[in-house]
Amino acid sequence: MTDPGDLAVTVVDGYVDEPAHFGVPPYVSTYPRFTAGALVDAGVPESNVTYHTIDELRDDRRRWADVADADLMVYVGGMTVPGSYVGGTPAEPEEVRELAWTAEGTTLLGGPVRFGVGERNEGASDMERRDLDYDFVAKGDVEAAAHDLVASGLEGFGDRMRDVSELDRWAEAGAFVVEQHPNHPDYLICELETSRGCAYRCSFCTEPLYGDPSFRTADSVVREVDALSDRGARHFRLGRQADILAFGGDGEAPNPDALRRLYGGIREVAPDLGTLHLDNMNPVTIVEYPEASREGIRVIAEHNTAGDTAAFGLESADPVVQAENSLLVTADECLEAVRVVNEEAGWRPGDDSRRGPSTGDDADRLPKLLPGINLVHGLMGEREETFAHNKRFLHRVYDEGLMLRRVNIRQVMAFDGTEMSEVGADIAKDHKKLFKRYKREVREEIDRPMLRRVAPPGTVLPDVHLEYHQDGRTFGRQLGTYPLLVGVPGERPLGETVDVAVVDYGFRSVTGVPFPLDVNEASLEELTAVPGLGSGRAGDIVVGRPHESIEEVDAGLDVDLSRFATVGDAPSPPPASE
């Protein structure tokens, strides 16, 4: 019998992306943390648990020794929705298999990878179950499998789901592992689970495969945040649930008091947090329980940090597709849910009204909470008219003066256990050309003008983390849900953070200049980017240096340069936690 106290365990994070769970850097998912907690609960010392991301292993082959030498190697990962990623690259199937081949000890595979694997992690794909040459595959919870495997002396386990008391222990006990994440502590956001499973059964979604909704208590989540905070974490997202409004209820009806305990508790144990965002909010809840939903949304907007996004699963505005795929809301109903979130949470920090969408050009911060629309293509019943229905819905939102933080358009991935498994990805493949043209049209007609409404020129984005260089610019993002990609003129040092003022717009990104821009120090490219200046006036400012005051520079310009620039030191923007 192997003594758990003698085991060396390596946990490899290949990243996850599920309908109600995200874990690609700068996010860290619940899976490696809960698994680490389960291992400790089974008797493995914290010091014997090593954690690596797949990107760390790619970057430094010497780290593979931790895979090879471990008594137990646990791989967690799996993508059940496709996406494009900046902060990390999810493990491909051949890499997952190489880990198993490298490991000389016992190997365990788990996470959403158990639902299926494709040739690549992308849309319009048929997925199938594979064991990828691992000794054990967790058909239930990987954290429960890891616990039971250690308890058995690495002999085996029975597939099962963890229970509530185990989750309460493991979530708190596994917080230590975030200290081993390469992004810790400054550029790491911890995904938090409030529930899993779903009361509804949309045809393509893997979340119902977890069963009916199972909720944690507010106290349990708060204790986990407290433990993560003690380990240096300052950024959190309540993203692991199908519907944040249903938290603490029966799986469908909102419970504003439970949300108040949850959000208030998090603020109490982590008063200096930098980010508190969420992900999924079901528009059908808002439609069926409008007053309780409004109250819950107000609670969220009072406690969260600016720039938050509530992802709405409209999936399709086509009534034919809605009927054939058991989708929950009509286009009219989803539009009403968009109105409600705009009315209750579309205000910006510093807006004394604290109600209604703030869409004026004098805004200097992102709104507190906006809806984001999810659209899925390749579903049963999709036809050419489907694309027109979706575009018509998005135009209605825009023409009504409402705001969306983003529109997520993707093609279905077909998994065994869902209704789409019988159809597969054939429809998505047949409509590929139509899909590409429609996606481009949405980016041009909706995304760009909507970005300007959400973030008018001069909107300040605090703490933009600079990630990569491209075409003479430096790109970065804030931490949070669906953060804006920001391009800054020039090649600035990577890894730094900078406050940015928005000056221009792409289809899904913005251009910004450092805020406040010191006119005596700014580059010609940065000054040229300020709206209304242009290269000629920017050149005059450079030639006329040094300037004594911003009023001197403003003289003769039809631009309010003070919104973007200063001379010398100036007050910093409000903290990101406002």
Side-chain angles (χ1 to χ4, degrees):
M1 185 74 172
T2 305
D3 184 349
D6 295 332
L7 288 177
V9 184
T10 295
V11 178
V12 176
D13 188 350
Y15 311 144
V16 302
D17 193 354
E18 300 183 85
H21 198 177
F22 190 56
V24 180
Y27 284 83
V28 58
S29 76
T30 66
Y31 288 110
R33 298 177 355 235
F34 292 176
T35 299
L39 291 167
V40 170
D41 193 43
V44 179
E46 284 185 15
S47 59
N48 286 17
V49 179
T50 300
Y51 168 81
H52 289 310
T53 67
I54 188 64
D55 282 313
E56 283 184 289
L57 296 176
R58 293 181 182 123
D59 293 341
D60 185 356
R61 292 296 302 188
R62 291 172 297 179
R63 297 179 185 272
W64 283 76
D66 293 328
V67 174
D69 298 341
D71 299 305
L72 171 63
M73 192 277 288
V74 183
Y75 173 82
V76 293
M79 321 299 285
T80 63
V81 294
S84 299
Y85 312 102
V86 175
T89 303
E92 293 290 352
E94 61 270 20
E95 293 179 303
V96 182
R97 187 178 283 112
E98 183 182 0
L99 288 166
W101 292 345
T102 301
E104 297 174 5
T106 302
T107 57
L108 170 64
L109 175 80
V113 67
R114 68 188 174 93
F115 294 129
V117 180
E119 293 303 316
R120 299 192 63 82
N121 298 316
E122 60 185 12
S125 297
D126 295 301
M127 315 299 278
E128 60 178 328
R129 297 180 187 273
R130 302 185 198 170
D131 65 13
L132 298 176
D133 298 334
Y134 280 70
D135 297 323
F136 296 101
V137 177
K139 300 296 184 8
D141 285 324
V142 63
E143 54 266 39
H147 176 277
D148 295 352
L149 186 57
V150 168
S152 75
L154 304 184
E155 294 297 322
F157 57 88
D159 287 313
R160 68 179 181 89
M161 309 301 278
R162 76 210 173 197
D163 62 36
V164 174
S165 64
E166 287 175 324
L167 177 57
D168 287 347
R169 297 196 307 273
W170 298 347
E172 190 173 354
F176 74 93
V177 85
V178 299
E179 294 181 317
Q180 299 182 46
H181 196 288
N183 288 38
H184 181 272
D186 296 326
Y187 196 37
L188 184 67
I189 183 165
C190 298
E191 187 85 327
L192 299 173
E193 177 179 322
T194 68
S195 70
R196 65 175 181 177
C198 187
Y200 306 100
R201 296 291 185 271
C202 298
S203 68
F204 62 94
C205 187
T206 57
E207 190 60 23
L209 301 181
Y210 288 103
D212 292 330
S214 172
F215 293 94
R216 297 174 68 182
T217 66
D219 287 345
S220 174
V221 179
V222 169
R223 287 195 302 272
E224 181 186 4
V225 171
D226 195 12
L228 288 165
S229 181
D230 287 345
R231 298 286 185 164
R234 293 185 57 250
H235 305 279
F236 307 95
R237 186 177 83 151
L238 297 159
R240 187 27 177 146
Q241 71 273 313
D243 181 10
I244 188 64
L245 289 179
F247 175 75
D250 61 2
E252 297 182 29
N255 185 339
D257 289 338
L259 286 171
R260 196 170 284 110
R261 291 192 298 273
L262 175 66
Y263 274 86
I266 290 173
R267 280 291 193 172
E268 184 175 346
V269 299
D272 298 325
L273 62 78
T275 307
L276 181 56
H277 279 186
L278 61 89
D279 189 7
N280 295 300
M281 183 181 290
N282 201 328
V284 76
T285 305
I286 299 173
V287 171
E288 295 185 357
Y289 306 95
E291 294 310 313
S293 294
R294 284 181 181 273
E295 183 180 352
I297 293 166
R298 287 195 293 269
V299 168
I300 293 168
E302 288 167 7
H303 291 87
N304 71 347
T305 55
D308 201 358
T309 306
F312 277 9
L314 170 61
E315 321 305 0
S316 178
D318 184 346
V320 172
V321 177
Q322 291 167 359
E324 290 199 29
N325 294 272
S326 305
L327 304 184
L328 301 176
V329 289
T330 66
D332 288 341
E333 290 170 334
C334 190
L335 181 60
E336 174 59 19
V338 169
R339 291 189 193 107
V340 169
V341 175
N342 271 257
E343 290 168 4
E344 300 297 343
W347 52 272
R348 303 170 193 261
D351 183 347
D352 292 335
S353 69
R354 301 176 77 85
R355 284 288 299 274
S358 301
T359 58
D361 279 353
D362 59 348
D364 64 358
R365 291 296 304 281
L366 291 174
K368 289 303 292 292
L369 176 69
L370 293 177
I373 297 297
N374 293 342
L375 296 170
V376 179
H377 286 273
L379 298 177
M380 293 180 289
E382 182 174 282
R383 54 209 174 123
E384 188 170 352
E385 292 94 325
T386 302
F387 299 86
H389 278 286
N390 288 350
K391 283 183 58 180
R392 190 177 305 116
F393 167 79
L394 295 172
H395 278 286
R396 289 175 67 192
V397 172
Y398 185 80
D399 293 344
E400 196 169 310
L402 300 169
M403 291 185 288
L404 298 175
R405 170 54 199 86
R406 64 99 178 97
V407 180
N408 186 14
I409 302 172
R410 61 185 177 87
Q411 291 181 297
V412 71
M413 299 171 79
F415 287 88
D416 188 26
T418 69
E419 290 181 29
M420 279 300 299
S421 63
E422 297 182 6
V423 178
D426 290 346
I427 297 173
K429 293 171 183 174
D430 290 344
H431 292 173
K432 200 99 177 181
K433 289 184 179 179
L434 185 59
F435 173 80
K436 288 182 177 179
R437 184 176 75 241
Y438 145 88
K439 190 173 183 179
R440 183 181 67 252
E441 291 170 351
V442 170
R443 299 305 181 220
E444 294 171 350
E445 298 170 19
I446 300 296
D447 282 346
R448 189 169 186 175
M450 185 64 79
L451 267 182
R452 195 188 189 287
R453 180 178 291 173
V454 171
T459 299
V460 177
L461 307 176
D463 297 326
V464 174
H465 295 252
L466 303 180
E467 296 180 287
Y468 65 95
H469 297 136
Q470 183 176 310
D471 300 329
R473 293 195 292 172
T474 306
F475 287 85
R477 299 171 297 168
Q478 295 174 295
L479 282 173
T481 297
Y482 310 108
L484 282 170
L485 182 63
V486 184
V488 180
E491 293 195 352
R492 302 177 68 89
L494 301 182
E496 293 186 356
T497 62
V498 60
D499 300 330
V500 169
V502 176
V503 296
D504 200 5
Y505 308 88
F507 296 142
R508 304 202 74 190
S509 63
V510 298
T511 299
V513 294
F515 178 86
L517 195 63
D518 186 340
V519 294
N520 286 329
E521 300 290 339
S523 69
L524 178 63
E525 291 81 5
E526 290 169 342
L527 289 168
T528 300
V530 174
L533 277 187
S535 58
R537 289 173 170 177
D540 292 341
I541 292 173
V542 171
V543 171
R545 290 171 175 168
H547 300 280
E548 296 295 328
S549 69
I550 197 68
E551 289 76 20
E552 171 199 329
V553 182
D554 264 341
L557 296 177
D558 53 2
V559 179
D560 182 9
L561 193 57
S562 64
R563 290 198 65 194
F564 303 91
T566 187
V567 172
D569 296 330
S572 297
S577 58
E578 262 194 27

mmCIF file of all heavy atoms in Angstrom, residues 321-349:
data_model
loop_
_atom_site.group_PDB
_atom_site.id
_atom_site.type_symbol
_atom_site.label_atom_id
_atom_site.label_comp_id
_atom_site.label_asym_id
_atom_site.label_seq_id
_atom_site.Cartn_x
_atom_site.Cartn_y
_atom_site.Cartn_z
ATOM 1 N N VAL A 321 -34.847 27.349 -35.666
ATOM 2 C CA VAL A 321 -33.702 26.787 -34.938
ATOM 3 C C VAL A 321 -34.012 26.708 -33.449
ATOM 4 O O VAL A 321 -33.668 25.725 -32.774
ATOM 5 C CB VAL A 321 -32.435 27.634 -35.192
ATOM 6 C CG1 VAL A 321 -31.257 27.105 -34.384
ATOM 7 C CG2 VAL A 321 -32.096 27.637 -36.677
ATOM 8 N N GLN A 322 -34.681 27.728 -32.925
ATOM 9 C CA GLN A 322 -35.059 27.709 -31.511
ATOM 10 C C GLN A 322 -35.910 26.492 -31.184
ATOM 11 O O GLN A 322 -35.677 25.797 -30.184
ATOM 12 C CB GLN A 322 -35.807 28.999 -31.160
ATOM 13 C CG GLN A 322 -34.941 30.240 -31.175
ATOM 14 C CD GLN A 322 -35.748 31.530 -31.147
ATOM 15 O OE1 GLN A 322 -36.980 31.506 -31.132
ATOM 16 N NE2 GLN A 322 -35.056 32.659 -31.153
ATOM 17 N N ALA A 323 -36.882 26.213 -32.031
ATOM 18 C CA ALA A 323 -37.800 25.100 -31.763
ATOM 19 C C ALA A 323 -37.097 23.751 -31.874
ATOM 20 O O ALA A 323 -37.328 22.854 -31.058
ATOM 21 C CB ALA A 323 -38.973 25.168 -32.735
ATOM 22 N N GLU A 324 -36.243 23.594 -32.860
ATOM 23 C CA GLU A 324 -35.614 22.289 -33.091
ATOM 24 C C GLU A 324 -34.509 21.971 -32.090
ATOM 25 O O GLU A 324 -34.112 20.812 -31.951
ATOM 26 C CB GLU A 324 -35.058 22.215 -34.516
ATOM 27 C CG GLU A 324 -36.149 22.151 -35.581
ATOM 28 C CD GLU A 324 -35.623 21.634 -36.906
ATOM 29 O OE1 GLU A 324 -34.657 20.849 -36.891
ATOM 30 O OE2 GLU A 324 -36.187 22.025 -37.949
ATOM 31 N N ASN A 325 -34.006 23.001 -31.374
ATOM 32 C CA ASN A 325 -32.868 22.787 -30.484
ATOM 33 C C ASN A 325 -33.187 23.078 -29.019
ATOM 34 O O ASN A 325 -32.286 23.184 -28.192
ATOM 35 C CB ASN A 325 -31.690 23.653 -30.941
ATOM 36 C CG ASN A 325 -31.160 23.229 -32.282
ATOM 37 O OD1 ASN A 325 -30.296 22.362 -32.382
ATOM 38 N ND2 ASN A 325 -31.672 23.838 -33.344
ATOM 39 N N SER A 326 -34.475 23.198 -28.713
ATOM 40 C CA SER A 326 -34.923 23.429 -27.337
ATOM 41 C C SER A 326 -34.294 24.672 -26.728
ATOM 42 O O SER A 326 -33.945 24.705 -25.539
ATOM 43 C CB SER A 326 -34.603 22.206 -26.455
ATOM 44 O OG SER A 326 -35.150 21.034 -26.990
ATOM 45 N N LEU A 327 -34.117 25.713 -27.551
ATOM 46 C CA LEU A 327 -33.565 26.965 -27.045
ATOM 47 C C LEU A 327 -34.635 27.688 -26.221
ATOM 48 O O LEU A 327 -35.828 27.474 -26.395
ATOM 49 C CB LEU A 327 -33.065 27.837 -28.193
ATOM 50 C CG LEU A 327 -32.033 27.167 -29.114
ATOM 51 C CD1 LEU A 327 -31.524 28.152 -30.172
ATOM 52 C CD2 LEU A 327 -30.863 26.607 -28.316
ATOM 53 N N LEU A 328 -34.187 28.571 -25.356
ATOM 54 C CA LEU A 328 -35.058 29.018 -24.263
ATOM 55 C C LEU A 328 -35.797 30.311 -24.519
ATOM 56 O O LEU A 328 -36.900 30.509 -24.008
ATOM 57 C CB LEU A 328 -34.221 29.173 -22.985
ATOM 58 C CG LEU A 328 -33.496 27.913 -22.518
ATOM 59 C CD1 LEU A 328 -32.634 28.236 -21.308
ATOM 60 C CD2 LEU A 328 -34.487 26.810 -22.186
ATOM 61 N N VAL A 329 -35.196 31.240 -25.264
ATOM 62 C CA VAL A 329 -35.821 32.547 -25.411
ATOM 63 C C VAL A 329 -35.959 32.914 -26.883
ATOM 64 O O VAL A 329 -35.125 32.545 -27.714
ATOM 65 C CB VAL A 329 -35.016 33.658 -24.694
ATOM 66 C CG1 VAL A 329 -35.117 33.520 -23.197
ATOM 67 C CG2 VAL A 329 -33.564 33.677 -25.132
ATOM 68 N N THR A 330 -37.003 33.666 -27.169
ATOM 69 C CA THR A 330 -37.175 34.229 -28.502
ATOM 70 C C THR A 330 -36.318 35.490 -28.617
ATOM 71 O O THR A 330 -35.798 36.014 -27.628
ATOM 72 C CB THR A 330 -38.639 34.596 -28.750
ATOM 73 O OG1 THR A 330 -39.008 35.661 -27.855
ATOM 74 C CG2 THR A 330 -39.558 33.398 -28.521
ATOM 75 N N ALA A 331 -36.211 35.988 -29.834
ATOM 76 C CA ALA A 331 -35.463 37.225 -30.039
ATOM 77 C C ALA A 331 -36.104 38.378 -29.269
ATOM 78 O O ALA A 331 -35.396 39.202 -28.670
ATOM 79 C CB ALA A 331 -35.394 37.547 -31.532
ATOM 80 N N ASP A 332 -37.434 38.449 -29.267
ATOM 81 C CA ASP A 332 -38.120 39.512 -28.527
ATOM 82 C C ASP A 332 -37.840 39.410 -27.029
ATOM 83 O O ASP A 332 -37.622 40.425 -26.356
ATOM 84 C CB ASP A 332 -39.626 39.454 -28.772
ATOM 85 C CG ASP A 332 -40.013 39.903 -30.171
ATOM 86 O OD1 ASP A 332 -39.186 40.581 -30.820
ATOM 87 O OD2 ASP A 332 -41.130 39.583 -30.609
ATOM 88 N N GLU A 333 -37.858 38.199 -26.498
ATOM 89 C CA GLU A 333 -37.603 38.022 -25.073
ATOM 90 C C GLU A 333 -36.162 38.370 -24.718
ATOM 91 O O GLU A 333 -35.895 39.004 -23.690
ATOM 92 C CB GLU A 333 -37.928 36.582 -24.672
ATOM 93 C CG GLU A 333 -39.419 36.267 -24.692
ATOM 94 C CD GLU A 333 -39.711 34.782 -24.522
ATOM 95 O OE1 GLU A 333 -38.829 33.960 -24.870
ATOM 96 O OE2 GLU A 333 -40.821 34.448 -24.060
ATOM 97 N N CYS A 334 -35.235 37.978 -25.571
ATOM 98 C CA CYS A 334 -33.841 38.298 -25.308
ATOM 99 C C CYS A 334 -33.615 39.808 -25.374
ATOM 100 O O CYS A 334 -32.856 40.365 -24.568
ATOM 101 C CB CYS A 334 -32.934 37.591 -26.301
ATOM 102 S SG CYS A 334 -31.177 37.680 -25.881
ATOM 103 N N LEU A 335 -34.280 40.466 -26.296
ATOM 104 C CA LEU A 335 -34.179 41.922 -26.381
ATOM 105 C C LEU A 335 -34.667 42.574 -25.088
ATOM 106 O O LEU A 335 -34.048 43.530 -24.596
ATOM 107 C CB LEU A 335 -34.971 42.440 -27.576
ATOM 108 C CG LEU A 335 -34.943 43.953 -27.813
ATOM 109 C CD1 LEU A 335 -33.515 44.441 -28.039
ATOM 110 C CD2 LEU A 335 -35.831 44.323 -28.990
ATOM 111 N N GLU A 336 -35.729 42.062 -24.512
ATOM 112 C CA GLU A 336 -36.222 42.600 -23.242
ATOM 113 C C GLU A 336 -35.202 42.369 -22.130
ATOM 114 O O GLU A 336 -34.974 43.255 -21.288
ATOM 115 C CB GLU A 336 -37.557 41.945 -22.881
ATOM 116 C CG GLU A 336 -38.097 42.319 -21.502
ATOM 117 C CD GLU A 336 -38.326 43.801 -21.313
ATOM 118 O OE1 GLU A 336 -38.426 44.541 -22.319
ATOM 119 O OE2 GLU A 336 -38.403 44.258 -20.141
ATOM 120 N N ALA A 337 -34.565 41.207 -22.119
ATOM 121 C CA ALA A 337 -33.536 40.946 -21.107
ATOM 122 C C ALA A 337 -32.347 41.892 -21.287
ATOM 123 O O ALA A 337 -31.765 42.354 -20.290
ATOM 124 C CB ALA A 337 -33.075 39.491 -21.197
ATOM 125 N N VAL A 338 -31.990 42.197 -22.519
ATOM 126 C CA VAL A 338 -30.926 43.168 -22.776
ATOM 127 C C VAL A 338 -31.305 44.530 -22.217
ATOM 128 O O VAL A 338 -30.487 45.225 -21.600
ATOM 129 C CB VAL A 338 -30.621 43.257 -24.289
ATOM 130 C CG1 VAL A 338 -29.706 44.439 -24.599
ATOM 131 C CG2 VAL A 338 -29.991 41.962 -24.784
ATOM 132 N N ARG A 339 -32.560 44.924 -22.419
ATOM 133 C CA ARG A 339 -33.037 46.204 -21.876
ATOM 134 C C ARG A 339 -32.889 46.245 -20.364
ATOM 135 O O ARG A 339 -32.426 47.238 -19.787
ATOM 136 C CB ARG A 339 -34.502 46.424 -22.245
ATOM 137 C CG ARG A 339 -34.808 46.684 -23.696
ATOM 138 C CD ARG A 339 -36.259 47.095 -23.871
ATOM 139 N NE ARG A 339 -36.657 47.060 -25.268
ATOM 140 C CZ ARG A 339 -37.453 46.138 -25.804
ATOM 141 N NH1 ARG A 339 -37.949 45.164 -25.031
ATOM 142 N NH2 ARG A 339 -37.769 46.179 -27.076
ATOM 143 N N VAL A 340 -33.286 45.159 -19.704
ATOM 144 C CA VAL A 340 -33.277 45.130 -18.236
ATOM 145 C C VAL A 340 -31.860 45.306 -17.689
ATOM 146 O O VAL A 340 -31.626 46.097 -16.774
ATOM 147 C CB VAL A 340 -33.905 43.815 -17.716
ATOM 148 C CG1 VAL A 340 -33.654 43.651 -16.225
ATOM 149 C CG2 VAL A 340 -35.409 43.803 -18.007
ATOM 150 N N VAL A 341 -30.901 44.582 -18.252
ATOM 151 C CA VAL A 341 -29.522 44.707 -17.760
ATOM 152 C C VAL A 341 -28.995 46.113 -18.033
ATOM 153 O O VAL A 341 -28.316 46.717 -17.182
ATOM 154 C CB VAL A 341 -28.607 43.642 -18.392
ATOM 155 C CG1 VAL A 341 -27.157 43.861 -17.966
ATOM 156 C CG2 VAL A 341 -29.063 42.249 -17.985
ATOM 157 N N ASN A 342 -29.301 46.674 -19.194
ATOM 158 C CA ASN A 342 -28.891 48.043 -19.474
ATOM 159 C C ASN A 342 -29.500 49.022 -18.479
ATOM 160 O O ASN A 342 -28.818 49.931 -17.981
ATOM 161 C CB ASN A 342 -29.293 48.436 -20.897
ATOM 162 C CG ASN A 342 -28.250 48.109 -21.944
ATOM 163 O OD1 ASN A 342 -27.533 48.982 -22.418
ATOM 164 N ND2 ASN A 342 -28.151 46.831 -22.306
ATOM 165 N N GLU A 343 -30.769 48.838 -18.170
ATOM 166 C CA GLU A 343 -31.463 49.762 -17.267
ATOM 167 C C GLU A 343 -30.947 49.674 -15.839
ATOM 168 O O GLU A 343 -30.819 50.687 -15.146
ATOM 169 C CB GLU A 343 -32.966 49.483 -17.301
ATOM 170 C CG GLU A 343 -33.632 49.879 -18.611
ATOM 171 C CD GLU A 343 -35.045 49.324 -18.734
ATOM 172 O OE1 GLU A 343 -35.527 48.689 -17.760
ATOM 173 O OE2 GLU A 343 -35.669 49.514 -19.796
ATOM 174 N N GLU A 344 -30.654 48.459 -15.384
ATOM 175 C CA GLU A 344 -30.280 48.277 -13.982
ATOM 176 C C GLU A 344 -28.774 48.352 -13.737
ATOM 177 O O GLU A 344 -28.348 48.663 -12.618
ATOM 178 C CB GLU A 344 -30.802 46.919 -13.468
ATOM 179 C CG GLU A 344 -32.310 46.759 -13.552
ATOM 180 C CD GLU A 344 -33.066 47.755 -12.682
ATOM 181 O OE1 GLU A 344 -32.453 48.359 -11.774
ATOM 182 O OE2 GLU A 344 -34.270 47.952 -12.934
ATOM 183 N N ALA A 345 -27.972 48.089 -14.750
ATOM 184 C CA ALA A 345 -26.525 47.969 -14.507
ATOM 185 C C ALA A 345 -25.664 48.638 -15.573
ATOM 186 O O ALA A 345 -24.447 48.520 -15.519
ATOM 187 C CB ALA A 345 -26.146 46.492 -14.400
ATOM 188 N N GLY A 346 -26.285 49.359 -16.521
ATOM 189 C CA GLY A 346 -25.521 49.978 -17.593
ATOM 190 C C GLY A 346 -24.899 51.306 -17.221
ATOM 191 O O GLY A 346 -24.340 51.991 -18.075
ATOM 192 N N TRP A 347 -24.966 51.675 -15.939
ATOM 193 C CA TRP A 347 -24.362 52.932 -15.485
ATOM 194 C C TRP A 347 -22.859 52.751 -15.270
ATOM 195 O O TRP A 347 -22.345 51.651 -15.200
ATOM 196 C CB TRP A 347 -25.039 53.419 -14.205
ATOM 197 C CG TRP A 347 -25.140 52.419 -13.094
ATOM 198 C CD1 TRP A 347 -26.146 51.508 -12.899
ATOM 199 C CD2 TRP A 347 -24.217 52.227 -12.018
ATOM 200 N NE1 TRP A 347 -25.901 50.762 -11.776
ATOM 201 C CE2 TRP A 347 -24.737 51.179 -11.209
ATOM 202 C CE3 TRP A 347 -23.018 52.831 -11.642
ATOM 203 C CZ2 TRP A 347 -24.075 50.730 -10.055
ATOM 204 C CZ3 TRP A 347 -22.362 52.389 -10.497
ATOM 205 C CH2 TRP A 347 -22.897 51.354 -9.722
ATOM 206 N N ARG A 348 -22.172 53.866 -15.172
ATOM 207 C CA ARG A 348 -20.725 53.860 -15.034
ATOM 208 C C ARG A 348 -20.325 54.394 -13.661
ATOM 209 O O ARG A 348 -21.049 55.199 -13.075
ATOM 210 C CB ARG A 348 -20.074 54.714 -16.129
ATOM 211 C CG ARG A 348 -20.449 54.248 -17.540
ATOM 212 C CD ARG A 348 -19.998 55.233 -18.610
ATOM 213 N NE ARG A 348 -20.623 54.916 -19.892
ATOM 214 C CZ ARG A 348 -20.041 54.234 -20.884
ATOM 215 N NH1 ARG A 348 -18.810 53.786 -20.723
ATOM 216 N NH2 ARG A 348 -20.677 53.998 -22.007
ATOM 217 N N PRO A 349 -19.194 53.951 -13.107
ATOM 218 C CA PRO A 349 -18.743 54.499 -11.827
ATOM 219 C C PRO A 349 -18.698 56.025 -11.882
ATOM 220 O O PRO A 349 -18.229 56.611 -12.857
ATOM 221 C CB PRO A 349 -17.331 53.911 -11.677
ATOM 222 C CG PRO A 349 -17.371 52.647 -12.456
ATOM 223 C CD PRO A 349 -18.274 52.923 -13.623
#
